[in-house]
Amino acid sequence: HLLTKVTIKNSVNDMEMTYAIVSESEADLAAKKISSSSPIGKGLLGKKVGDIVDIKVPNGIMNFEIIEITRL
């Protein structure tokens, strides 16, 4: 959902990242705000905590576990 903060964990290196999912006009990767239409944003939409998601990125497919979802 828009205006959601999602914490995901990379299944390969266990690195955790937190992103805010925002509209296209507010997207700012440096500020950890990703657009709902970006590959990661699209991959996370409609998912819930505990889900494992495969997200297509330019260098292949990345695997993430959703750790936490909060409203902004």
Side-chain angles (χ1 to χ4, degrees):
H1 299 291
L2 281 181
L3 303 179
T4 300
K5 189 183 274 188
V6 181
T7 300
I8 56 177
K9 183 170 77 173
N10 184 319
S11 300
V12 174
N13 61 14
D14 280 347
M15 201 169 99
E16 287 192 15
M17 295 157 280
T18 301
Y19 293 108
I21 299 177
V22 298
S23 68
E24 192 78 52
S25 61
E26 295 177 82
D28 179 357
L29 194 55
K32 302 266 191 218
K33 293 180 176 180
I34 57 172
S35 160
S36 57
S37 61
S38 71
I40 294 176
K42 276 195 266 198
L44 295 175
L45 286 178
K47 301 295 191 270
K48 58 189 188 305
V49 171
D51 283 356
I52 304 289
V53 293
D54 294 326
I55 296 174
K56 192 167 174 14
V57 292
N59 56 350
I61 295 201
M62 296 186 72
N63 214 270
F64 295 103
E65 179 182 354
I66 299 177
I67 305 296
E68 183 178 39
I69 299 173
T70 53
R71 304 286 298 162
L72 288 181

Short mmCIF file of all heavy atoms in Angstrom, two decimals:
data_model
loop_
_atom_site.label_atom_id
_atom_site.label_comp_id
_atom_site.label_asym_id
_atom_site.label_seq_id
_atom_site.Cartn_x
_atom_site.Cartn_y
_atom_site.Cartn_z
N HIS A 1 0.85 -1.20 0.00
CA HIS A 1 0.00 0.00 0.00
C HIS A 1 0.88 1.25 0.00
O HIS A 1 1.96 1.24 0.57
CB HIS A 1 -0.88 0.02 1.23
CG HIS A 1 -1.80 -1.15 1.32
ND1 HIS A 1 -2.86 -1.33 0.45
CD2 HIS A 1 -1.82 -2.20 2.16
CE1 HIS A 1 -3.48 -2.44 0.79
NE2 HIS A 1 -2.88 -2.99 1.81
N LEU A 2 0.36 2.31 -0.57
CA LEU A 2 1.07 3.58 -0.51
C LEU A 2 1.15 4.04 0.94
O LEU A 2 0.30 3.69 1.75
CB LEU A 2 0.35 4.64 -1.34
CG LEU A 2 0.56 4.59 -2.84
CD1 LEU A 2 -0.21 5.71 -3.52
CD2 LEU A 2 2.02 4.67 -3.20
N LEU A 3 2.15 4.84 1.22
CA LEU A 3 2.37 5.37 2.55
C LEU A 3 2.53 4.27 3.59
O LEU A 3 1.99 4.32 4.68
CB LEU A 3 1.25 6.34 2.95
CG LEU A 3 1.06 7.51 1.98
CD1 LEU A 3 -0.08 8.41 2.43
CD2 LEU A 3 2.33 8.31 1.84
N THR A 4 3.31 3.27 3.22
CA THR A 4 3.63 2.16 4.09
C THR A 4 5.15 2.09 4.21
O THR A 4 5.86 2.36 3.26
CB THR A 4 3.10 0.83 3.49
OG1 THR A 4 1.70 0.93 3.35
CG2 THR A 4 3.43 -0.35 4.36
N LYS A 5 5.61 1.74 5.39
CA LYS A 5 7.04 1.52 5.57
C LYS A 5 7.24 0.02 5.69
O LYS A 5 6.56 -0.64 6.47
CB LYS A 5 7.53 2.22 6.83
CG LYS A 5 9.04 2.21 6.97
CD LYS A 5 9.48 2.85 8.26
CE LYS A 5 9.62 4.34 8.09
NZ LYS A 5 10.22 4.97 9.27
N VAL A 6 8.14 -0.52 4.88
CA VAL A 6 8.35 -1.97 4.83
C VAL A 6 9.82 -2.27 5.14
O VAL A 6 10.71 -1.67 4.54
CB VAL A 6 7.99 -2.54 3.45
CG1 VAL A 6 8.20 -4.04 3.42
CG2 VAL A 6 6.56 -2.20 3.07
N THR A 7 10.04 -3.19 6.08
CA THR A 7 11.40 -3.66 6.35
C THR A 7 11.53 -5.03 5.72
O THR A 7 10.70 -5.92 5.96
CB THR A 7 11.66 -3.74 7.87
OG1 THR A 7 11.50 -2.44 8.43
CG2 THR A 7 13.09 -4.22 8.15
N ILE A 8 12.55 -5.17 4.87
CA ILE A 8 12.78 -6.44 4.18
C ILE A 8 14.19 -6.93 4.49
O ILE A 8 15.08 -6.14 4.79
CB ILE A 8 12.58 -6.31 2.66
CG1 ILE A 8 13.48 -5.22 2.07
CG2 ILE A 8 11.13 -6.07 2.31
CD1 ILE A 8 13.39 -5.08 0.56
N LYS A 9 14.36 -8.25 4.44
CA LYS A 9 15.68 -8.84 4.68
C LYS A 9 16.09 -9.62 3.45
O LYS A 9 15.35 -10.46 2.96
CB LYS A 9 15.63 -9.76 5.90
CG LYS A 9 17.00 -10.36 6.24
CD LYS A 9 17.01 -11.06 7.57
CE LYS A 9 16.33 -12.40 7.47
NZ LYS A 9 16.46 -13.20 8.69
N ASN A 10 17.28 -9.32 2.97
CA ASN A 10 17.85 -10.01 1.82
C ASN A 10 18.17 -11.44 2.25
O ASN A 10 18.93 -11.65 3.20
CB ASN A 10 19.11 -9.27 1.37
CG ASN A 10 19.71 -9.85 0.12
OD1 ASN A 10 19.79 -11.06 -0.06
ND2 ASN A 10 20.17 -8.98 -0.75
N SER A 11 17.59 -12.43 1.59
CA SER A 11 17.77 -13.83 1.97
C SER A 11 19.20 -14.32 1.74
O SER A 11 19.61 -15.31 2.34
CB SER A 11 16.80 -14.71 1.18
OG SER A 11 15.48 -14.32 1.45
N VAL A 12 19.97 -13.64 0.90
CA VAL A 12 21.33 -14.08 0.61
C VAL A 12 22.32 -13.62 1.68
O VAL A 12 23.10 -14.40 2.20
CB VAL A 12 21.78 -13.59 -0.79
CG1 VAL A 12 23.23 -13.93 -1.05
CG2 VAL A 12 20.88 -14.19 -1.85
N ASN A 13 22.27 -12.33 2.03
CA ASN A 13 23.28 -11.80 2.96
C ASN A 13 22.70 -11.34 4.30
O ASN A 13 23.40 -10.76 5.12
CB ASN A 13 24.07 -10.66 2.31
CG ASN A 13 23.18 -9.49 1.93
OD1 ASN A 13 22.04 -9.38 2.35
ND2 ASN A 13 23.71 -8.61 1.10
N ASP A 14 21.40 -11.58 4.53
CA ASP A 14 20.73 -11.20 5.78
C ASP A 14 20.74 -9.70 6.06
O ASP A 14 20.51 -9.28 7.18
CB ASP A 14 21.33 -11.95 6.98
CG ASP A 14 20.78 -13.36 7.08
OD1 ASP A 14 19.79 -13.67 6.41
OD2 ASP A 14 21.36 -14.17 7.84
N MET A 15 20.99 -8.89 5.04
CA MET A 15 20.97 -7.45 5.24
C MET A 15 19.52 -6.96 5.27
O MET A 15 18.72 -7.32 4.42
CB MET A 15 21.72 -6.78 4.08
CG MET A 15 22.21 -5.40 4.39
SD MET A 15 23.34 -4.85 3.09
CE MET A 15 22.22 -3.85 2.14
N GLU A 16 19.20 -6.15 6.27
CA GLU A 16 17.85 -5.60 6.37
C GLU A 16 17.82 -4.18 5.82
O GLU A 16 18.76 -3.42 6.01
CB GLU A 16 17.37 -5.60 7.83
CG GLU A 16 17.03 -6.98 8.31
CD GLU A 16 16.29 -6.98 9.65
OE1 GLU A 16 15.80 -5.93 10.08
OE2 GLU A 16 16.23 -8.07 10.25
N MET A 17 16.72 -3.86 5.14
CA MET A 17 16.53 -2.52 4.59
C MET A 17 15.10 -2.10 4.87
O MET A 17 14.21 -2.93 4.85
CB MET A 17 16.76 -2.53 3.07
CG MET A 17 18.17 -2.85 2.67
SD MET A 17 18.25 -3.49 0.97
CE MET A 17 17.78 -5.18 1.23
N THR A 18 14.91 -0.83 5.13
CA THR A 18 13.57 -0.30 5.34
C THR A 18 13.29 0.75 4.29
O THR A 18 14.10 1.66 4.07
CB THR A 18 13.43 0.30 6.75
OG1 THR A 18 13.72 -0.71 7.71
CG2 THR A 18 12.02 0.82 6.99
N TYR A 19 12.16 0.62 3.62
CA TYR A 19 11.77 1.57 2.58
C TYR A 19 10.37 2.08 2.86
O TYR A 19 9.52 1.34 3.37
CB TYR A 19 11.74 0.90 1.21
CG TYR A 19 13.08 0.47 0.69
CD1 TYR A 19 13.42 -0.88 0.64
CD2 TYR A 19 14.00 1.40 0.22
CE1 TYR A 19 14.66 -1.28 0.15
CE2 TYR A 19 15.23 1.00 -0.26
CZ TYR A 19 15.55 -0.33 -0.30
OH TYR A 19 16.77 -0.73 -0.78
N ALA A 20 10.13 3.32 2.49
CA ALA A 20 8.77 3.85 2.47
C ALA A 20 8.27 3.69 1.04
O ALA A 20 8.99 4.00 0.09
CB ALA A 20 8.77 5.31 2.88
N ILE A 21 7.05 3.19 0.89
CA ILE A 21 6.46 3.07 -0.45
C ILE A 21 5.57 4.28 -0.66
O ILE A 21 4.62 4.50 0.10
CB ILE A 21 5.67 1.75 -0.58
CG1 ILE A 21 6.61 0.56 -0.37
CG2 ILE A 21 5.00 1.69 -1.95
CD1 ILE A 21 5.93 -0.78 -0.42
N VAL A 22 5.92 5.08 -1.65
CA VAL A 22 5.27 6.37 -1.88
C VAL A 22 4.86 6.49 -3.35
O VAL A 22 5.16 5.62 -4.16
CB VAL A 22 6.21 7.54 -1.49
CG1 VAL A 22 6.54 7.48 0.00
CG2 VAL A 22 7.49 7.52 -2.31
N SER A 23 4.20 7.59 -3.68
CA SER A 23 3.81 7.81 -5.06
C SER A 23 5.04 8.13 -5.90
O SER A 23 6.09 8.49 -5.37
CB SER A 23 2.81 8.97 -5.15
OG SER A 23 3.46 10.17 -4.81
N GLU A 24 4.89 8.01 -7.21
CA GLU A 24 5.98 8.26 -8.15
C GLU A 24 6.63 9.62 -7.90
O GLU A 24 7.85 9.75 -7.89
CB GLU A 24 5.40 8.21 -9.57
CG GLU A 24 6.43 8.17 -10.67
CD GLU A 24 7.05 6.79 -10.86
OE1 GLU A 24 6.32 5.81 -11.01
OE2 GLU A 24 8.30 6.74 -10.85
N SER A 25 5.82 10.64 -7.65
CA SER A 25 6.36 12.00 -7.50
C SER A 25 7.16 12.19 -6.22
O SER A 25 7.97 13.10 -6.12
CB SER A 25 5.22 13.02 -7.56
OG SER A 25 4.31 12.80 -6.51
N GLU A 26 6.93 11.35 -5.22
CA GLU A 26 7.66 11.49 -3.95
C GLU A 26 8.87 10.57 -3.86
O GLU A 26 9.63 10.65 -2.89
CB GLU A 26 6.74 11.13 -2.78
CG GLU A 26 5.57 12.06 -2.59
CD GLU A 26 4.69 11.57 -1.45
OE1 GLU A 26 5.04 11.84 -0.29
OE2 GLU A 26 3.69 10.89 -1.74
N ALA A 27 9.04 9.70 -4.84
CA ALA A 27 10.12 8.71 -4.78
C ALA A 27 11.48 9.39 -4.68
O ALA A 27 11.76 10.36 -5.37
CB ALA A 27 10.06 7.80 -6.00
N ASP A 28 12.32 8.88 -3.77
CA ASP A 28 13.66 9.42 -3.56
C ASP A 28 14.49 8.31 -2.93
O ASP A 28 14.45 8.09 -1.73
CB ASP A 28 13.58 10.63 -2.63
CG ASP A 28 14.95 11.23 -2.33
OD1 ASP A 28 15.97 10.69 -2.80
OD2 ASP A 28 14.99 12.25 -1.62
N LEU A 29 15.23 7.58 -3.79
CA LEU A 29 15.95 6.40 -3.31
C LEU A 29 16.94 6.76 -2.21
O LEU A 29 17.11 6.03 -1.24
CB LEU A 29 16.66 5.70 -4.47
CG LEU A 29 17.16 4.29 -4.16
CD1 LEU A 29 16.03 3.40 -3.64
CD2 LEU A 29 17.78 3.67 -5.38
N ALA A 30 17.59 7.92 -2.32
CA ALA A 30 18.56 8.34 -1.30
C ALA A 30 17.89 8.48 0.07
O ALA A 30 18.52 8.26 1.10
CB ALA A 30 19.22 9.65 -1.71
N ALA A 31 16.61 8.85 0.07
CA ALA A 31 15.87 9.00 1.32
C ALA A 31 15.10 7.72 1.67
O ALA A 31 14.23 7.75 2.53
CB ALA A 31 14.92 10.19 1.21
N LYS A 32 15.41 6.62 0.96
CA LYS A 32 14.75 5.33 1.19
C LYS A 32 13.25 5.39 0.92
O LYS A 32 12.45 4.72 1.56
CB LYS A 32 15.00 4.83 2.62
CG LYS A 32 16.46 4.67 2.96
CD LYS A 32 16.90 3.27 2.71
CE LYS A 32 18.28 3.04 3.29
NZ LYS A 32 19.09 2.21 2.48
N LYS A 33 12.86 6.22 -0.05
CA LYS A 33 11.46 6.29 -0.47
C LYS A 33 11.39 5.72 -1.88
O LYS A 33 12.02 6.27 -2.79
CB LYS A 33 10.97 7.74 -0.48
CG LYS A 33 10.89 8.36 0.90
CD LYS A 33 10.41 9.79 0.79
CE LYS A 33 10.23 10.41 2.16
NZ LYS A 33 9.75 11.80 2.04
N ILE A 34 10.66 4.62 -2.04
CA ILE A 34 10.58 4.01 -3.37
C ILE A 34 9.16 4.12 -3.90
O ILE A 34 8.18 4.08 -3.14
CB ILE A 34 11.04 2.54 -3.35
CG1 ILE A 34 10.24 1.70 -2.35
CG2 ILE A 34 12.53 2.45 -3.07
CD1 ILE A 34 10.52 0.21 -2.43
N SER A 35 9.07 4.24 -5.18
CA SER A 35 7.78 4.36 -5.85
C SER A 35 7.06 3.01 -5.85
O SER A 35 7.70 1.96 -5.98
CB SER A 35 8.01 4.83 -7.28
OG SER A 35 6.91 4.53 -8.08
N SER A 36 5.75 3.06 -5.75
CA SER A 36 4.96 1.82 -5.81
C SER A 36 5.05 1.19 -7.19
O SER A 36 4.72 0.02 -7.35
CB SER A 36 3.50 2.12 -5.46
OG SER A 36 2.99 3.10 -6.34
N SER A 37 5.53 1.94 -8.20
CA SER A 37 5.65 1.37 -9.54
C SER A 37 7.07 0.89 -9.85
O SER A 37 7.33 0.38 -10.92
CB SER A 37 5.20 2.39 -10.59
OG SER A 37 6.01 3.53 -10.53
N SER A 38 7.99 1.03 -8.88
CA SER A 38 9.35 0.52 -9.06
C SER A 38 9.33 -1.00 -8.92
O SER A 38 8.39 -1.56 -8.36
CB SER A 38 10.28 1.13 -8.01
OG SER A 38 9.97 0.59 -6.73
N PRO A 39 10.39 -1.69 -9.38
CA PRO A 39 10.38 -3.16 -9.25
C PRO A 39 10.20 -3.64 -7.81
O PRO A 39 9.42 -4.54 -7.55
CB PRO A 39 11.75 -3.57 -9.80
CG PRO A 39 12.10 -2.47 -10.76
CD PRO A 39 11.53 -1.22 -10.16
N ILE A 40 10.91 -3.00 -6.87
CA ILE A 40 10.77 -3.43 -5.47
C ILE A 40 9.38 -3.05 -4.95
O ILE A 40 8.70 -3.85 -4.32
CB ILE A 40 11.87 -2.81 -4.58
CG1 ILE A 40 13.24 -3.37 -4.98
CG2 ILE A 40 11.60 -3.10 -3.10
CD1 ILE A 40 14.42 -2.76 -4.25
N GLY A 41 8.94 -1.84 -5.25
CA GLY A 41 7.61 -1.41 -4.81
C GLY A 41 6.52 -2.34 -5.31
O GLY A 41 5.65 -2.77 -4.56
N LYS A 42 6.58 -2.68 -6.61
CA LYS A 42 5.57 -3.59 -7.19
C LYS A 42 5.64 -4.96 -6.54
O LYS A 42 4.62 -5.59 -6.28
CB LYS A 42 5.78 -3.73 -8.69
CG LYS A 42 5.13 -2.63 -9.50
CD LYS A 42 5.05 -3.00 -10.96
CE LYS A 42 6.26 -2.45 -11.68
NZ LYS A 42 6.13 -2.36 -13.11
N GLY A 43 6.87 -5.42 -6.28
CA GLY A 43 7.05 -6.73 -5.68
C GLY A 43 6.50 -6.84 -4.26
O GLY A 43 6.12 -7.92 -3.82
N LEU A 44 6.47 -5.70 -3.56
CA LEU A 44 6.01 -5.71 -2.16
C LEU A 44 4.52 -5.46 -2.01
O LEU A 44 3.95 -5.81 -0.98
CB LEU A 44 6.78 -4.65 -1.36
CG LEU A 44 8.28 -4.88 -1.23
CD1 LEU A 44 8.93 -3.70 -0.53
CD2 LEU A 44 8.57 -6.17 -0.49
N LEU A 45 3.91 -4.87 -3.02
CA LEU A 45 2.49 -4.53 -2.90
C LEU A 45 1.63 -5.77 -2.65
O LEU A 45 1.80 -6.79 -3.32
CB LEU A 45 1.99 -3.81 -4.16
CG LEU A 45 2.44 -2.37 -4.30
CD1 LEU A 45 1.92 -1.78 -5.60
CD2 LEU A 45 2.01 -1.50 -3.13
N GLY A 46 0.76 -5.69 -1.66
CA GLY A 46 -0.16 -6.78 -1.38
C GLY A 46 0.43 -7.92 -0.57
O GLY A 46 -0.24 -8.90 -0.29
N LYS A 47 1.69 -7.79 -0.17
CA LYS A 47 2.33 -8.86 0.60
C LYS A 47 2.15 -8.59 2.09
O LYS A 47 1.77 -7.52 2.51
CB LYS A 47 3.82 -8.93 0.25
CG LYS A 47 4.10 -9.20 -1.20
CD LYS A 47 3.61 -10.58 -1.63
CE LYS A 47 4.10 -10.99 -3.00
NZ LYS A 47 3.25 -10.63 -4.09
N LYS A 48 2.45 -9.62 2.91
CA LYS A 48 2.33 -9.46 4.35
C LYS A 48 3.60 -9.94 5.05
O LYS A 48 4.45 -10.58 4.44
CB LYS A 48 1.10 -10.18 4.88
CG LYS A 48 1.07 -11.67 4.60
CD LYS A 48 -0.30 -12.24 4.97
CE LYS A 48 -0.36 -13.74 4.91
NZ LYS A 48 0.02 -14.35 3.65
N VAL A 49 3.71 -9.62 6.34
CA VAL A 49 4.88 -10.00 7.13
C VAL A 49 5.07 -11.51 7.06
O VAL A 49 4.12 -12.28 7.17
CB VAL A 49 4.71 -9.53 8.59
CG1 VAL A 49 5.82 -10.11 9.48
CG2 VAL A 49 4.72 -8.01 8.66
N GLY A 50 6.32 -11.92 6.85
CA GLY A 50 6.64 -13.35 6.76
C GLY A 50 6.69 -13.86 5.34
O GLY A 50 7.25 -14.92 5.08
N ASP A 51 6.09 -13.11 4.40
CA ASP A 51 6.14 -13.53 3.00
C ASP A 51 7.56 -13.44 2.47
O ASP A 51 8.34 -12.56 2.85
CB ASP A 51 5.25 -12.63 2.12
CG ASP A 51 3.77 -12.95 2.25
OD1 ASP A 51 3.42 -13.91 2.95
OD2 ASP A 51 2.96 -12.22 1.62
N ILE A 52 7.90 -14.36 1.57
CA ILE A 52 9.17 -14.30 0.85
C ILE A 52 8.81 -13.82 -0.56
O ILE A 52 7.92 -14.37 -1.20
CB ILE A 52 9.82 -15.70 0.74
CG1 ILE A 52 10.02 -16.32 2.13
CG2 ILE A 52 11.13 -15.61 -0.03
CD1 ILE A 52 11.07 -15.69 2.99
N VAL A 53 9.48 -12.76 -1.00
CA VAL A 53 9.17 -12.22 -2.32
C VAL A 53 10.40 -12.29 -3.22
O VAL A 53 11.52 -12.10 -2.77
CB VAL A 53 8.66 -10.76 -2.24
CG1 VAL A 53 7.31 -10.70 -1.56
CG2 VAL A 53 9.62 -9.85 -1.51
N ASP A 54 10.17 -12.61 -4.48
CA ASP A 54 11.22 -12.59 -5.50
C ASP A 54 11.03 -11.31 -6.28
O ASP A 54 9.96 -11.08 -6.84
CB ASP A 54 11.08 -13.78 -6.45
CG ASP A 54 11.32 -15.11 -5.75
OD1 ASP A 54 12.16 -15.15 -4.84
OD2 ASP A 54 10.67 -16.09 -6.12
N ILE A 55 12.06 -10.48 -6.32
CA ILE A 55 11.94 -9.20 -7.00
C ILE A 55 12.96 -9.14 -8.12
O ILE A 55 14.15 -9.37 -7.92
CB ILE A 55 12.14 -8.04 -6.01
CG1 ILE A 55 11.00 -8.09 -4.98
CG2 ILE A 55 12.17 -6.71 -6.74
CD1 ILE A 55 11.11 -7.11 -3.86
N LYS A 56 12.45 -8.86 -9.32
CA LYS A 56 13.31 -8.78 -10.50
C LYS A 56 14.01 -7.43 -10.49
O LYS A 56 13.36 -6.38 -10.46
CB LYS A 56 12.45 -8.94 -11.75
CG LYS A 56 13.25 -9.16 -13.01
CD LYS A 56 12.31 -9.61 -14.11
CE LYS A 56 12.90 -9.74 -15.47
NZ LYS A 56 14.31 -9.75 -15.64
N VAL A 57 15.32 -7.48 -10.46
CA VAL A 57 16.14 -6.27 -10.49
C VAL A 57 17.05 -6.36 -11.72
O VAL A 57 17.13 -7.43 -12.33
CB VAL A 57 16.97 -6.13 -9.18
CG1 VAL A 57 16.06 -5.85 -8.00
CG2 VAL A 57 17.82 -7.36 -8.93
N PRO A 58 17.70 -5.25 -12.08
CA PRO A 58 18.50 -5.29 -13.31
C PRO A 58 19.51 -6.44 -13.38
O PRO A 58 19.74 -6.99 -14.44
CB PRO A 58 19.21 -3.94 -13.30
CG PRO A 58 18.26 -3.04 -12.57
CD PRO A 58 17.64 -3.92 -11.50
N ASN A 59 20.08 -6.85 -12.25
CA ASN A 59 21.10 -7.90 -12.31
C ASN A 59 20.57 -9.27 -11.90
O ASN A 59 21.32 -10.11 -11.44
CB ASN A 59 22.33 -7.51 -11.48
CG ASN A 59 21.98 -7.20 -10.04
OD1 ASN A 59 20.80 -7.09 -9.70
ND2 ASN A 59 22.97 -7.05 -9.20
N GLY A 60 19.27 -9.50 -12.05
CA GLY A 60 18.72 -10.83 -11.77
C GLY A 60 17.50 -10.77 -10.89
O GLY A 60 16.72 -9.83 -10.94
N ILE A 61 17.35 -11.81 -10.06
CA ILE A 61 16.20 -11.87 -9.16
C ILE A 61 16.72 -11.89 -7.73
O ILE A 61 17.63 -12.66 -7.41
CB ILE A 61 15.35 -13.13 -9.45
CG1 ILE A 61 14.76 -13.00 -10.84
CG2 ILE A 61 14.29 -13.32 -8.38
CD1 ILE A 61 13.55 -13.81 -11.14
N MET A 62 16.17 -11.03 -6.91
CA MET A 62 16.56 -11.00 -5.50
C MET A 62 15.43 -11.56 -4.67
O MET A 62 14.27 -11.41 -5.00
CB MET A 62 16.92 -9.58 -5.07
CG MET A 62 18.13 -9.06 -5.79
SD MET A 62 18.68 -7.47 -5.18
CE MET A 62 19.37 -7.92 -3.62
N ASN A 63 15.79 -12.16 -3.57
CA ASN A 63 14.86 -12.83 -2.67
C ASN A 63 14.84 -12.08 -1.35
O ASN A 63 15.87 -11.91 -0.72
CB ASN A 63 15.43 -14.23 -2.46
CG ASN A 63 14.36 -15.25 -2.29
OD1 ASN A 63 13.94 -15.47 -1.18
ND2 ASN A 63 13.94 -15.84 -3.38
N PHE A 64 13.67 -11.63 -0.93
CA PHE A 64 13.56 -10.90 0.33
C PHE A 64 12.47 -11.51 1.20
O PHE A 64 11.45 -11.98 0.71
CB PHE A 64 13.16 -9.43 0.08
CG PHE A 64 14.19 -8.64 -0.67
CD1 PHE A 64 14.03 -8.35 -2.00
CD2 PHE A 64 15.32 -8.17 -0.03
CE1 PHE A 64 14.97 -7.62 -2.70
CE2 PHE A 64 16.27 -7.43 -0.71
CZ PHE A 64 16.10 -7.15 -2.05
N GLU A 65 12.69 -11.45 2.51
CA GLU A 65 11.64 -11.80 3.46
C GLU A 65 11.12 -10.50 4.04
O GLU A 65 11.89 -9.60 4.38
CB GLU A 65 12.21 -12.66 4.59
CG GLU A 65 11.15 -13.02 5.62
CD GLU A 65 11.67 -13.84 6.79
OE1 GLU A 65 12.86 -14.25 6.76
OE2 GLU A 65 10.90 -14.06 7.72
N ILE A 66 9.79 -10.38 4.14
CA ILE A 66 9.20 -9.17 4.72
C ILE A 66 9.21 -9.32 6.24
O ILE A 66 8.63 -10.26 6.79
CB ILE A 66 7.78 -8.94 4.20
CG1 ILE A 66 7.84 -8.75 2.67
CG2 ILE A 66 7.15 -7.73 4.88
CD1 ILE A 66 6.52 -8.57 2.00
N ILE A 67 9.92 -8.41 6.92
CA ILE A 67 10.10 -8.47 8.36
C ILE A 67 9.01 -7.67 9.08
O ILE A 67 8.48 -8.09 10.10
CB ILE A 67 11.49 -7.90 8.75
CG1 ILE A 67 12.61 -8.63 8.01
CG2 ILE A 67 11.72 -7.93 10.26
CD1 ILE A 67 12.75 -10.08 8.33
N GLU A 68 8.73 -6.48 8.58
CA GLU A 68 7.78 -5.59 9.27
C GLU A 68 7.10 -4.67 8.26
O GLU A 68 7.73 -4.25 7.29
CB GLU A 68 8.55 -4.76 10.31
CG GLU A 68 7.68 -3.86 11.15
CD GLU A 68 8.49 -3.08 12.19
OE1 GLU A 68 9.61 -2.63 11.87
OE2 GLU A 68 8.00 -2.93 13.31
N ILE A 69 5.84 -4.36 8.53
CA ILE A 69 5.10 -3.40 7.71
C ILE A 69 4.39 -2.44 8.66
O ILE A 69 3.69 -2.88 9.57
CB ILE A 69 4.03 -4.10 6.83
CG1 ILE A 69 4.70 -5.10 5.86
CG2 ILE A 69 3.22 -3.06 6.05
CD1 ILE A 69 3.71 -5.95 5.09
N THR A 70 4.63 -1.15 8.48
CA THR A 70 3.96 -0.15 9.32
C THR A 70 3.41 0.96 8.44
O THR A 70 3.92 1.21 7.34
CB THR A 70 4.93 0.47 10.35
OG1 THR A 70 6.09 0.95 9.68
CG2 THR A 70 5.36 -0.56 11.39
N ARG A 71 2.39 1.63 8.92
CA ARG A 71 1.81 2.78 8.21
C ARG A 71 2.67 4.00 8.47
O ARG A 71 3.20 4.15 9.56
CB ARG A 71 0.39 3.06 8.71
CG ARG A 71 -0.58 1.90 8.62
CD ARG A 71 -1.09 1.56 7.27
NE ARG A 71 -1.86 2.61 6.64
CZ ARG A 71 -2.12 2.66 5.37
NH1 ARG A 71 -1.68 1.70 4.57
NH2 ARG A 71 -2.80 3.64 4.85
N LEU A 72 2.81 4.86 7.47
CA LEU A 72 3.56 6.11 7.67
C LEU A 72 2.68 7.13 8.37
O LEU A 72 1.49 7.11 8.26
CB LEU A 72 4.02 6.66 6.33
CG LEU A 72 5.15 5.89 5.64
CD1 LEU A 72 5.50 6.57 4.34
CD2 LEU A 72 6.36 5.82 6.52
#
